[in-house]
Amino acid sequence: MRSNGKIIGIIFAVIIAVAIIKYLGLLIIAGGLGYWGYKRSQNAKRENQKSKLAIVLFSLAGIFFLAFIGNLTNVKQQEANKAPTVPAKVEQTSAEPTTVKPEQTSNVVSTSVSKEETASEQPKHIPITLIAGTDGDTFKATVQGKEEKIRLLLVDTPESVKQGTPVQPFAKEASAFTLKQLKQGNLSLELDVSERDKYGRLLGYVWVGDNMLNEMLIEKGYARVAYINPPNVKYVDQFKEIQATAQKSGIGIWSIENYAQEDGFNQEAAQKVTTKADSLKNDSNAKESKPKVATPKDEVVQSYSESRESSSNVYYKNCSAVRAAGADPIYEGEPGYSRKLDRDGDGVGCER
């Protein structure tokens, strides 16, 4: 019993020593225990006995020696890891929930792109070639030798080709604008995190040279910011700022009260404008028999009711008037376009 008490006392002493001593302390303890064990084994040999204490001491010496080697390795690793690291910059974007159209609620397919790669890599622009336009926010193009249908991310233009839905205000204008830009060539597609929707369409931001088509549609008042479905929200904050400016200016879809809303385009508001436009047209036909009085041509701001009748009903005295109305640059076929505003004859008037 006395021998066991000594062993327990030694073990407690060793534990305390381990807690206090680091680095070389472990090696010193291992050496001390080894030497003690050696002396005990020599005394036991002289008495022709086996010393259990010597075996315990040798075992503890070996354990402390191994602990010393392991501790030495850990210290070297800690010193190597002290080099400063620059954390990857993570861009935080806010995603606001919005009610979306059933046919365009997309179950996006996630791609295996790590956060480190997303933060460090520059946006990749894939060259594309236009095949045909569909509407304001969809078109067909050749992408890496394959025909693809491309849907512009984070924007929504009025419907012009959807079955069962009448042509909505500014739908044709948006389609014409998109096709006009795409025909300029030098097109590229920038993908976000998820590449496709549940219909198999490629989702992305389309660049015409150095200008983004998604952004231009919002800026001109032909599209609203919509379908905010994370993780594809790279430019959502930027788009919302541009939309706020277009709303304030009251151009395009924002010229009709309560038309563009968070859940889509208000068909009732559009119907009121259509009815008013037809009424104005009938009044105009009734007045044709009366003598016309010449009046000075004033600067006119484009509205949907005017554009439905004829582009000749919208008149801009000069490019200053076009810019004041927020309609620059003005494209051939748009209300108010005239050859005198397009001196170089390229179909785009009042270019800056």
Side-chain angles (χ1 to χ4, degrees):
M1 292 294 293
R2 186 177 297 176
S3 177
N4 290 338
K6 288 183 178 180
I7 293 173
I8 295 173
I10 291 171
I11 292 174
F12 273 111
V14 168
I15 293 174
I16 294 172
V18 170
I20 297 175
I21 303 174
K22 292 183 179 180
Y23 304 120
L24 292 178
L26 294 173
L27 184 60
I28 293 171
I29 292 173
L33 291 171
Y35 179 75
W36 189 2
Y38 172 76
K39 296 295 289 183
R40 295 292 297 182
S41 69
Q42 290 297 319
N43 292 336
K45 282 183 180 180
R46 292 192 190 99
E47 298 174 359
N48 293 324
Q49 294 179 357
K50 290 184 179 180
S51 176
K52 293 182 180 180
L53 180 59
I55 296 173
V56 172
L57 291 172
F58 281 133
S59 299
L60 290 173
I63 292 172
F64 273 91
F65 181 74
L66 292 175
F68 169 74
I69 298 299
N71 188 53
L72 194 63
T73 304
N74 291 335
V75 170
K76 289 183 178 180
Q77 288 180 349
Q78 289 175 0
E79 290 178 352
N81 292 334
K82 283 183 180 179
T85 57
V86 180
K89 182 179 180 181
V90 180
E91 182 178 354
Q92 297 181 346
T93 56
S94 60
E96 296 181 1
T98 181
T99 307
V100 297
K101 301 175 185 177
E103 73 278 3
Q104 290 184 341
T105 304
S106 305
N107 294 329
V108 293
V109 182
S110 298
T111 55
S112 55
V113 180
S114 67
K115 292 182 180 179
E116 290 77 12
E117 290 175 343
T118 304
S120 60
E121 292 182 358
Q122 293 293 329
K124 292 183 179 179
H125 290 193
I126 304 171
I128 61 175
T129 304
L130 174 67
I131 295 177
T134 303
D135 56 18
D137 50 36
T138 312
F139 64 96
K140 292 181 180 179
T142 302
V143 183
Q144 297 178 339
K146 182 181 177 182
E147 181 177 327
E148 297 276 6
K149 194 166 187 178
I150 298 175
R151 176 65 167 84
L152 301 181
L153 272 174
L154 299 178
V155 297
D156 180 35
T157 60
E159 297 290 352
S160 61
V161 295
K162 183 180 176 182
Q163 293 184 353
T165 302
V167 177
Q168 296 175 324
F170 290 101
K172 290 185 177 180
E173 289 86 344
S175 297
F177 179 83
T178 294
L179 188 59
K180 181 77 175 181
Q181 300 302 315
L182 294 174
K183 283 183 177 180
Q184 294 184 27
N186 192 19
L187 307 177
S188 61
L189 176 67
E190 179 186 347
L191 301 175
D192 210 324
V193 179
S194 299
E195 297 180 0
R196 295 182 184 271
D197 61 11
K198 65 180 181 181
Y199 306 107
R201 300 179 298 186
L202 276 176
L203 306 172
Y205 311 98
V206 174
W207 292 82
V208 183
D210 295 330
N211 299 314
M212 188 196 299
L213 179 58
N214 312 51
E215 185 177 288
M216 288 190 286
L217 283 166
I218 300 170
E219 184 179 16
K220 291 294 180 183
Y222 293 138
R224 66 186 184 93
V225 179
Y227 309 124
I228 305 171
N229 298 318
N232 290 347
V233 292
K234 182 175 182 179
Y235 295 105
V236 66
D237 291 336
Q238 178 177 327
F239 286 178
K240 284 182 178 179
E241 291 180 4
I242 298 171
Q243 177 175 278
T245 302
Q247 281 182 281
K248 189 175 181 180
S249 301
I251 59 175
I253 60 176
W254 308 110
S255 65
I256 303 175
E257 187 177 0
N258 299 325
Y259 175 46
Q261 300 183 2
E262 288 188 1
D263 60 347
F265 296 98
N266 188 338
Q267 195 61 37
E268 292 183 3
Q271 187 64 35
K272 290 180 181 179
V273 174
T274 303
T275 303
K276 183 178 180 181
D278 292 340
S279 176
L280 290 173
K281 186 175 181 180
N282 293 333
D283 291 343
S284 178
N285 292 335
K287 292 177 182 179
E288 284 183 357
S289 58
K290 297 180 180 181
K292 296 182 180 180
V293 180
T295 56
K297 294 181 179 180
D298 297 326
E299 299 174 1
V300 180
V301 179
Q302 174 187 354
S303 67
Y304 177 68
S305 60
E306 292 169 335
S307 65
R308 282 180 55 87
E309 293 181 59
S310 172
S311 61
S312 62
N313 290 343
V314 178
Y315 173 76
Y316 295 111
K317 184 177 181 180
N318 48 41
C319 284
S320 296
V322 175
R323 295 188 180 100
D328 65 311
I330 187 168
Y331 297 89
E332 185 175 2
E334 291 185 344
Y337 172 86
S338 64
R339 287 294 180 185
K340 73 174 185 178
L341 301 176
D342 181 15
R343 295 185 179 181
D344 55 4
D346 63 349
V348 184
C350 300
E351 302 167 270
R352 291 185 180 275

